[in-house]
Amino acid sequence: MVSKEEDNFLRIVYLHYRVATGALSNFFDKLHPSLSADLNIPGNKAILHDLYIPPPKKKRVLYRRQWDTLYPPPGSTTVTSADLDLTLIVCLLRNIPPLVTEPPTGFDNLPPPHDKSDGANIARLKYYKNFFVSHSKDGTLPNADFVRIWSELEQAVTGLDNSHATAASLKDAKTKMLDNSMVQMLSTQMQLVTKVSNFEEELKHISSHIDKDVQEKKQLKQITETLDEKMKTKEDSFEKEFKECKENVISYPNDWILVKYKYLQFTRIKTIAIESKKEKEDFVKDVQSLCSLIQDDITKHEERIAALENSSGTLQEIQRDVDSLKRKLDTLKEEIKKQVEDHIPPHIRAHHRQEIREWEQDQTTFLETRATRHIIESLPSHNCIVVTGSSGCGKSSNIHQAALHLRDSLEYEIIPVLTGPTDIMNYYNENKKQVFIVDDICGKETINMQTLQTWRDYSEKMEKIFKVAEKDVAGKNDKTVLKVSSPKLLLSCRLHIYKEAQFQRISLFTKKECNLLSPELCLLEAERMHMLHKYVPDDIIDNIKQVTENVDYFPLLCKLSKDKTSEEVKKLFTAPLISIKQNINNIIHENKQQFCALVLCILFNDGFDTDWLKLGSVSERKNMKTDKLEYIVKEFDIDLSKQKHRHSLRAGFSTLNGTYLKLRGTEYRMIHDKIYTMAAVICGQKLYRMFY
């Protein structure tokens, strides 16, 4: 059991490694989005090389391990900020453009609290990392110091990175329960960091000695060279004196006193020269011996540095392994936490994901219209929005895209409502941001009174869940931008059902309606053309501009026009209902497998699973569905026990996919309820006994 003081210390360590370093990396990435390219700019590389192998009288800043991190061997992975520790990130921010302005107190000192510049925030992180995290004596921290240091680090972190993720990490770090495994990991981390820090200090100490030895060696070399020059000058002078003496002896043979004087002078000079030469040789030997000793000392130091750097590299690898394990553990804990907190059964969650994937696929052809923008702009001040209109006008597409907007922009969880209000009651989580999606609430052609009553029974509870706070109403009146966080309910509803008196009694559903057929939100001509461009090539559009019928279900027609010929598209937009009926009739008369696929999707209106066509599936699983399937295919002379027949039927489904059918997983269903209605009427006329 750790004490409060130990918990304080470990929490600061956790904050440093799990939050502060990440925040600094995010800040760094904004300045160096292409780090590898920045490092290889010749000017930048020259600056860093001088820090690695400094010029005379300059302090060494980078060591081999750090240099190898920045410039790995050719063929290695691209260097990113994830490869750098805090010390190396700070070094780059201080030395390569764009430079971070140094605070008045410098990067190596703790800046005053009032200095909130980027440089000061970086200096705070560096200071507490070097003089607290890496050099703690007893691993404890009194409460008063903890509050002060936490406040300063929090200021530095948010100053460098004010993202939602970092804010959440800060909050989590302050309240996170440090269990035994976490304490053990942080302790191991501290030991590794301390060892690396000690190694780096020793490297600096050794480096300073080497620099001193090298400097002494250079000075000795200069002395030797100076002495050589002086000796050369003396020898030249001696030679000159000797020559003069010799000439004097020859010129004045009778002047024996002068000759003797000159001889003595010459002898003295020669003796001095010999002695000086010997002294020089002895001195040179001493210098050479000293240089040899210095070189040996340098070699030993270099070998020691190499050993230390290798050890440091090993520790760095161990530290990375520990970090990786910590991340995996955190991920696992997060997954376990999600599973514990998630009230949605796995099979339901899988169904939700499948639906949402379909919405994501529709994004490629979805056009944001003024109606879409109005719905999204209404989200801050309305927690329940009902999008109304006729079949095929884009109601469902708009609420789907609004839900994706909430997910992508504001981290909402999307929950498609499959069974009714009980889904909301069962899956609502007040600690999450959630948006519930209901398509065609209370029916399609006519109002489903039983479904309506179910929603009415839960209306009071839903009012509490989706209640709009007073501050949201005030924000709406002030036209301010609000931070959306409350639960949302997005509904699509047929306009005639929405207008039913019974439906209007549910007050929650009447607070915000977006009628896609209203003059304010209906499709503009320009929007219609842009939408058509999403599905049809330009050359076809040019031929049909004058015949595009102004129908409410224009978005559906666009979807049906995909991959059709110019003539087919022209017919579709000139007389859409006639064209669709004609296409369905062509299928009925020309391809019995496609006709059978249509009928199966009509009669199995909750989806036809093609796995039912597998050999043995029908015979081994006798139930109402398989009996119904056998009865239907028999009408088309299709024998599911024959492989060729099964493959032909599968091909029929596949051909209609994207035109009249849509595939979800292994299940096919009608692409739209309007098509479903038309196909059901036409097919029912051909197979009256089967449909009635």
Side-chain angles (χ1 to χ4, degrees):
M1 183 70 180
V2 296
S3 66
K4 176 60 177 172
E5 288 74 17
E6 289 172 327
D7 182 87
N8 290 342
F9 174 76
L10 291 173
R11 201 167 293 281
I12 293 292
V13 173
Y14 181 87
L15 174 65
H16 171 77
Y17 287 109
R18 305 312 300 274
V19 183
T21 303
L24 183 60
S25 294
N26 293 339
F27 174 82
F28 180 82
D29 288 339
K30 292 176 183 177
L31 298 181
H32 298 281
S34 301
L35 175 59
S36 186
D38 290 349
L39 290 174
N40 285 288
I41 294 173
N44 290 347
K45 191 168 185 179
I47 292 171
L48 296 175
H49 190 268
D50 284 346
L51 298 179
Y52 177 48
I53 304 177
K57 298 184 180 180
K58 291 288 185 179
K59 182 181 177 183
R60 187 180 185 188
V61 176
L62 293 177
Y63 295 89
R64 193 177 73 183
R65 173 180 58 81
Q66 295 168 311
W67 179 263
D68 290 344
T69 298
L70 297 175
Y71 297 99
S76 303
T77 55
T78 303
V79 180
T80 67
S81 62
D83 301 313
L84 315 180
D85 59 13
L86 185 141
T87 302
L88 198 47
I89 290 176
V90 173
C91 176
L92 296 180
L93 290 172
R94 293 175 65 172
N95 290 284
I96 65 172
L99 300 177
V100 175
T101 303
E102 185 173 2
T105 51
F107 279 110
D108 299 321
N109 300 303
L110 183 64
H114 63 78
D115 189 351
K116 298 182 180 180
S117 63
D118 290 337
N121 288 329
I122 292 170
R124 284 187 186 92
L125 298 185
K126 181 176 182 293
Y127 177 85
Y128 283 117
K129 189 265 182 185
N130 288 341
F131 298 102
F132 177 75
V133 175
S134 300
H135 294 89
S136 173
K137 294 180 180 179
D138 55 6
T140 61
L141 183 64
N143 287 335
D145 292 339
F146 170 76
V147 172
R148 175 179 56 80
I149 293 172
W150 185 278
S151 176
E152 291 194 28
L153 286 175
E154 190 172 36
Q155 172 188 322
V157 168
T158 54
L160 293 171
D161 180 21
N162 60 355
S163 65
H164 293 300
T166 297
S169 297
L170 269 172
K171 183 178 179 181
D172 179 63
K174 197 166 188 177
T175 58
K176 190 178 189 70
M177 179 65 70
L178 299 180
D179 55 21
N180 290 334
S181 62
M182 183 66 69
V183 170
Q184 184 63 39
M185 281 195 295
L186 290 174
S187 300
T188 304
Q189 180 86 19
M190 282 298 305
Q191 293 171 8
L192 290 170
V193 170
T194 302
K195 286 182 180 180
V196 171
S197 179
N198 291 339
F199 281 145
E200 289 178 348
E201 289 295 328
E202 191 167 355
L203 285 174
K204 291 179 182 178
H205 181 68
I206 293 172
S207 179
S208 65
H209 277 289
I210 290 177
D211 291 341
K212 185 178 179 181
D213 288 345
V214 170
Q215 193 63 30
E216 288 178 356
K217 187 175 180 181
K218 288 181 179 178
Q219 290 174 353
L220 288 173
K221 185 178 180 182
Q222 289 175 353
I223 292 172
T224 303
E225 290 173 350
T226 302
L227 185 59
D228 281 339
E229 290 177 2
K230 288 182 178 180
M231 290 301 296
K232 183 70 170 62
T233 302
K234 278 189 175 185
E235 284 182 356
D236 292 343
S237 177
F238 294 158
E239 289 292 337
K240 184 178 179 182
E241 290 285 344
F242 179 77
K243 187 176 181 181
E244 288 177 358
C245 288
K246 190 175 181 180
E247 289 174 353
N248 288 334
V249 171
I250 295 170
S251 301
Y252 306 99
N254 297 322
D255 196 346
W256 63 273
I257 296 175
L258 181 61
V259 170
K260 188 173 182 180
Y261 171 76
K262 292 293 184 180
Y263 177 76
L264 290 173
Q265 187 182 40
F266 170 74
T267 303
R268 181 177 64 81
I269 292 171
K270 191 172 183 180
T271 301
I272 292 172
I274 292 170
E275 290 176 353
S276 297
K277 190 172 183 179
K278 188 175 183 303
E279 286 178 2
K280 177 210 170 185
E281 290 173 351
D282 291 342
F283 182 75
V284 169
K285 287 180 181 178
D286 290 340
V287 170
Q288 288 175 343
S289 176
L290 182 59
C291 287
S292 178
L293 291 173
I294 292 174
Q295 186 60 51
D296 290 343
D297 195 24
I298 289 174
T299 302
K300 289 178 182 178
H301 283 316
E302 287 178 341
E303 289 174 353
R304 192 175 179 191
I305 286 174
L308 287 171
E309 287 185 334
N310 288 334
S311 299
S312 178
T314 303
L315 286 172
Q316 187 74 6
E317 291 176 6
I318 295 172
Q319 183 175 336
R320 287 175 182 169
D321 290 341
V322 171
D323 288 342
S324 176
L325 288 172
K326 283 163 63 178
R327 285 192 294 270
K328 289 179 181 178
L329 180 61
D330 285 347
T331 302
L332 182 60
K333 286 183 176 179
E334 192 64 30
E335 286 297 323
I336 293 173
K337 182 180 177 182
K338 285 182 180 178
Q339 291 180 12
V340 171
E341 294 178 351
D342 195 355
H343 303 304
I344 303 177
H347 70 285
I348 299 295
R349 178 67 76 183
H351 195 95
H352 289 174
R353 292 195 188 101
Q354 180 63 42
E355 284 223 11
I356 295 168
R357 274 196 294 270
E358 289 183 14
W359 304 351
E360 291 169 339
Q361 291 169 2
D362 290 340
Q363 280 183 308
T364 57
T365 52
F366 180 79
L367 176 71
E368 183 181 289
T369 64
R370 58 175 179 167
T372 312
R373 290 189 290 274
H374 177 74
I375 294 168
I376 291 174
E377 289 167 1
S378 301
L379 288 170
S381 51
H382 294 89
N383 289 343
C384 179
I385 298 176
V386 182
V387 178
T388 62
S390 59
S391 175
C393 71
K395 303 183 302 298
S396 295
S397 295
N398 271 285
I399 64 172
H400 295 167
Q401 297 307 313
L404 292 174
H405 166 79
L406 286 173
R407 182 197 67 180
D408 298 338
S409 301
L410 299 166
E411 299 179 345
Y412 265 71
E413 177 187 30
I414 300 175
I415 302 180
V417 175
L418 305 177
T419 60
T422 52
D423 282 5
I424 299 175
M425 298 299 111
N426 292 334
Y427 307 147
Y428 169 64
N429 186 335
E430 63 181 4
N431 297 318
K432 290 184 178 181
K433 294 190 289 186
Q434 296 174 308
V435 54
F436 295 87
I437 306 298
V438 186
D439 280 312
D440 287 316
I441 189 170
C442 296
K444 297 180 179 180
E445 302 303 328
T446 59
I447 191 168
N448 186 317
M449 296 305 298
Q450 184 178 353
T451 303
L452 178 66
Q453 185 59 48
T454 304
W455 284 100
R456 190 180 296 164
D457 292 341
Y458 285 95
S459 60
E460 188 175 337
K461 292 181 179 179
M462 288 194 300
E463 283 277 3
K464 294 178 181 178
I465 293 175
F466 299 105
K467 181 181 179 182
V468 178
E470 291 182 4
K471 63 179 181 179
D472 291 343
V473 176
K476 177 185 176 185
N477 296 333
D478 296 339
K479 296 183 178 180
T480 56
V481 178
L482 301 171
K483 180 181 178 182
V484 182
S485 60
S486 52
K488 303 294 176 185
L489 176 60
L490 302 181
L491 314 168
S492 71
C493 182
R494 297 287 179 88
L495 186 58
H496 64 277
I497 290 177
Y498 180 81
K499 291 181 177 180
E500 289 275 1
Q502 297 95 323
F503 190 92
Q504 292 290 313
R505 290 175 187 168
I506 304 178
S507 61
L508 177 65
F509 295 165
T510 60
K511 291 181 178 179
K512 178 60 181 177
E513 178 203 8
C514 296
N515 181 358
L516 300 189
L517 305 183
S518 65
E520 297 79 18
L521 299 180
C522 68
L523 283 174
L524 299 172
E525 182 61 29
E527 291 176 336
R528 298 162 80 86
M529 286 299 103
H530 285 143
M531 187 177 293
L532 199 54
H533 275 282
K534 294 273 187 177
Y535 296 91
V536 179
D538 293 346
D539 57 332
I540 295 181
I541 292 176
D542 292 337
N543 295 330
I544 64 169
K545 278 184 178 179
Q546 305 304 321
V547 297
T548 51
E549 187 174 330
N550 187 14
V551 293
D552 296 338
Y553 49 92
F554 187 85
L556 175 60
L557 294 181
C558 289
K559 185 177 289 189
L560 294 175
S561 66
K562 190 175 183 180
D563 299 327
K564 282 186 166 47
T565 65
S566 177
E567 189 61 31
E568 289 172 334
V569 173
K570 187 174 182 179
K571 287 181 180 179
L572 181 63
F573 281 93
T574 304
L577 297 180
I578 295 174
S579 176
I580 294 171
K581 289 178 181 178
Q582 184 177 344
N583 285 337
I584 294 174
N585 277 313
N586 289 341
I587 291 171
I588 291 172
H589 293 106
E590 296 175 8
N591 192 305
K592 72 174 182 179
Q593 285 80 15
Q594 293 179 22
F595 183 17
C596 182
L598 271 180
V599 171
L600 287 171
C601 286
I602 294 169
L603 297 180
F604 290 91
N605 59 359
D606 57 345
F608 180 83
D609 193 340
T610 51
D611 283 346
W612 297 340
L613 301 180
K614 290 180 179 178
L615 182 62
S617 178
V618 175
S619 58
E620 292 175 5
R621 302 179 186 177
K622 283 291 183 180
N623 53 44
M624 289 182 64
K625 282 189 176 181
T626 56
D627 290 344
K628 182 178 177 181
L629 172 59
E630 285 186 318
Y631 172 70
I632 295 170
V633 297
K634 187 177 180 181
E635 290 290 324
F636 293 90
D637 295 325
I638 295 175
D639 186 353
L640 294 181
S641 65
K642 296 181 179 180
Q643 184 178 7
K644 183 178 180 180
H645 286 206
R646 294 197 306 274
H647 284 180
S648 297
L649 184 54
R650 283 180 180 274
F653 277 102
S654 179
T655 302
L656 295 177
N657 185 33
T659 53
Y660 294 103
L661 305 181
K662 61 180 177 181
L663 178 63
R664 177 184 294 171
T666 59
E667 289 187 354
Y668 281 94
R669 62 191 66 207
M670 301 302 293
I671 196 168
H672 194 274
D673 53 89
K674 182 174 279 293
I675 301 299
Y676 172 88
T677 302
M678 295 176 64
V681 171
I682 297 170
C683 294
Q685 292 171 348
K686 300 293 180 181
L687 301 170
Y688 179 84
R689 187 164 53 89
M690 188 178 298
F691 279 74
Y692 297 96

